[in-house]
Amino acid sequence: MFKLERRPNPSKAMVIMTPILAVVLTMIAGGILFAILGKNPFEAIRIIFWDPLFNDTVASYTRPQLLIKASPLIMIALGLSFGYRANIWNIGAEGQFIMGAVAGGAVGLAFYPTESVLIFPLMVLAGAVGGFLWAMIPAFLKIKFNANEILVSLMLVYVAINFLGAMVTGPLRSPVGMNFPVSRNFNEYPSAYNGEMIANTGLHMGVLVTLAAVIVAYILLKHHIFGFQVRTAGQSPRAAKFSGVNPNITIAICLGISGGLAGMAGLFEVTGPAGKLSTNFPLGYGFTAIIVAFLGRLNPIGILFAGLLMALTYIGGELAQFQLSVPAASIQVFQGMLLFFMLAVDILVSFRIRLASREVA
Amino acid sequence: MTALLSLSGLTKAYPGVIANDHVSFDIGPGEIHALLGENGAGKSTLVKMIYGLVRPDSGTMKLHGKAYAPAEPRAARASGVAMVFQHFSLFDALTVAENIALGMENAPDTADLTQRIIEVSGKYGLTIDPHRMVGDLSAGERQRVEIVRCLLQNPKMLIMDEPTSVLTPQEVEVLFHTLRQLSEEGTSILYISHKLDEIKALCEHATILRRGKVVGTCIPRDETAKSMAEMMVGETLRTPKKHYTRHGAALLELHNLWLQSSDPFGTSLKEITFNLHEGEVMGVGGVAGNGQDELMLALSGEELTPAHAIQLKGEDIGNLGPNARRMRGLLTAPEERLGHAAAPDMTLTENAFLTGAMRQNLTKNGMIKTAATRKFARAIIEQFDVRTPGTENTAHSLSGGNLQKFVIGREILQKPEVFVVNQPTWGVDAAAAADIRSAILKLAENGAAVLVISQDLDELMEISDNIAILSEGTLSAPRPAKGITIEQIGLMMGGTEVEYV
């Protein structure tokens, strides 16, 4: 029989090993899934994990996509990780992402066609504020009425999706869009366009901001008293209160940070890769970022790698869709399995498996 | 005399520790046998084996000369072995009779059972009304329910785990009377406690465990509490010496403090008023659950009160949070070590930072000064003899006593002007308890005012200048500890009725 036994101290090796183990298990289980679908599992795994980076015929398109897809995932996941460490479960980053895009996009479009270098920074700020305010709704309701932030933030995603729909069919509808529910194209408005900084690399302004956010988040978490308070609040709420951490302020700050970053990610996305506000804009980054946050062990550096990996499954998944014609849902299942295995093997950090010696009767 | 229960060579190993190592001893019929040992000495494991909760790795037990190996508590009860646990397993919303019926193998109908409860409780002086709701009973009365439940099964052997920790001194007397009566009727009792004076008064024989091994036996009547404690610890103990000093100005003043408990099962504080002076150690006694936790939270700043209700050196601080109070010199150490005083999964360095951040100046522009924090943690470990491999170990890897030394040391090293501590030596071994008490006394000698909340009356009498009793959220007027008797304190506790049979 196997027995779980608590380790005296959490294993440092397992902190690094468990995400790798989760990826391996996902490949195995995913392979089985593809085999059941009648596809060659080895080919499918190769297409998802290998081809986007190293297959010469597709890499010129897929490599830049890596940064474009990873950047919002990482930025959102960084924000979420603070809340998750403090046991504040913001599930609604998708809504904050959308509201950031709408708010920032609206500010930009309001200036059209004025050209100024100040417009884009102002849009980024508006995007962050949009996401921040959207996240303040669950924060306020939780502090004031102890409403569950999981439910409130999640429901607000659907409100945001409908709000976006109302905007692109109403005030923000492009006058030159032939009545389609889309906004003006940002790539036709240079002051508001978040284009590639170096051609064919996928590198845009948001990628740089994401990298900066990784560094700032790392310092905050490891070396700043705020990170310490967040970690304490999550691990041991009563000890945190004893040490002087105000739980309500922690709730507001954690939701605020995740909302602000998600909103900013939304703005960079809508003004660059997406190009315009439309009802097709919500891509699920806000939900996938939850997986990224956990896969990265709520650690900023880990999230950086997890975001790149998750971007790879997006891109590889698309390749597999049209090369092997697997259903789109199978890729979502694949990503879900990654989170599932991650959470399952996570127990090895604090526990070890032992072969229980047979008891003497 | 043949033994009722005979243990030979009982061994039980858990990963990394041998809880019981070839434990052997006999208990005669009608004998009250004490099992002594510090925390972690293996007492619980041993009684769990006797009660069928844990199976021994090796070794045998005999009951009435026949092999006895209970696979589960039910088998143990069928053989006539009953146990009263330290923590009660009763349902608040059911009556006494319903609770007792739930614990029986084949309960008779209610009228019958009620009759038998009245008979048994009358016979042993355990006054209890079978129709009362358990939620309305005091801790002492709940214990009676547990004992009556055991007695209804006519046990040959009764195991009692720390039965007096929740009782007032008068309730203890009643309990001892019952136990002696049972013993005269031939029921053996295995009595676990670390209150050595009680063991002297009650038990005929004692077996002493240390690190899982039997290290000695003794006749408690022929020993002193100190000599038994030394056998438990395996070294000579020094009792901290209390120097009565003159007290200076009032440092901490509570004026008519009312606090509604935020815990629905808590006790609200009612008009608490006292002054605590420079150099004074004031003891707050009383049975747990009478407002101790609430008083602690009100003083630490985790619960806020009107500003004027709490004054530190003349300044109103009732509305200030924990860190503002720390900066002004009021430091606290709560009862619960893991999860309140310390974060279990954080390292000792991080736990040193937990309360030391502000007063020890461990941050710069919000950044944690890692080296300085580690140095502070190391200073605590060295000066308070915390046994741990290093500062980067987690709090929960430490034993209870070592973590308590760390938690108390962390506050004392920050040079408090007023220090409030709840249950400073709860679950701590005798040597560590003596160290903690001397540290508290030394702090007061150097001019700090200290408030010690404790349920251990001996401890309060040993270190306090004045003693007050917290009962149902009300604090009695403090009385000088010199010359006060346990009986007087018991009467101050009041609350539950006292009966001698």
Side-chain angles (χ1 to χ4, degrees), chain B residues 2 8 135 211 317 420 448-449 467:
Chain B
T2 56
S8 70
R211 296 202 187 116
I317 59 157
V420 182
I467 293 183

Side-chain angles (χ1 to χ4, degrees), chain B residues 53-260:
Chain B
L53 282 164
V54 169
R55 294 218 333 232
D57 294 341
S58 64
T60 54
M61 294 185 272
K62 278 182 180 168
L63 192 71
H64 298 300
K66 281 181 282 183
Y68 169 69
E72 50 173 353
R74 193 188 306 203
R77 284 197 296 267
S79 314
V81 175
M83 180 160 175
V84 176
F85 288 90
Q86 190 176 1
H87 300 285
F88 307 139
S89 46
L90 298 172
F91 295 95
D92 281 357
L94 297 179
T95 67
V96 169
E98 285 165 339
N99 264 292
I100 288 176
L102 275 177
M104 292 176 80
E105 302 303 335
N106 34 18
D109 67 60
T110 318
D112 247 22
L113 183 64
T114 307
Q115 194 51 42
R116 286 186 58 199
I117 293 171
I118 292 170
E119 275 169 33
V120 169
S121 63
K123 184 174 168 198
Y124 294 99
L126 298 163
T127 319
I128 199 87
D129 177 355
H131 302 294
R132 276 183 73 193
M133 207 70 104
V134 164
D136 298 334
L137 303 181
S138 74
E141 290 169 311
R142 284 169 200 232
Q143 188 181 54
R144 286 180 209 168
V145 178
E146 293 272 14
I147 296 174
V148 167
R149 178 195 272 175
C150 289
L151 294 185
L152 284 172
Q153 325 255 355
N154 298 314
K156 296 288 164 289
M157 162 105 205
L158 186 61
I159 304 170
M160 303 210 69
D161 187 5
E162 298 276 356
T164 59
S165 56
V166 293
L167 303 185
T168 64
Q170 281 79 5
E171 286 175 323
V172 171
E173 272 309 310
V174 176
L175 172 70
F176 281 12
H177 184 90
T178 307
L179 295 182
R180 289 197 187 101
Q181 190 182 341
L182 280 168
S183 148
E184 276 162 26
E185 293 172 3
T187 306
S188 307
I189 293 160
L190 182 60
Y191 189 88
I192 301 163
S193 175
H194 57 243
K195 294 189 179 169
L196 299 168
D197 290 319
E198 290 178 0
I199 283 168
K200 254 173 82 68
L202 184 72
C203 303
E204 296 150 43
H205 290 99
T207 297
I208 297 148
L209 287 182
R210 194 194 311 146
R211 296 202 187 116
K213 288 184 182 154
V214 175
V215 292
T217 54
C218 68
I219 309 237
R221 262 183 266 287
D222 302 342
E223 301 285 334
T224 62
K226 188 160 181 279
S227 67
M228 285 193 282
E230 285 173 356
M231 277 191 258
M232 276 161 58
V233 184
E235 57 189 88
T236 343
L237 283 179
R238 48 194 174 73
T239 330
K241 198 95 189 101
K242 169 95 189 137
H243 301 283
Y244 288 90
T245 42
R246 288 180 62 80
H247 301 148
L251 290 181
L252 181 71
E253 298 168 58
L254 265 67
H255 303 287
N256 195 14
L257 169 80
W258 290 75
L259 180 72
Q260 178 73 42

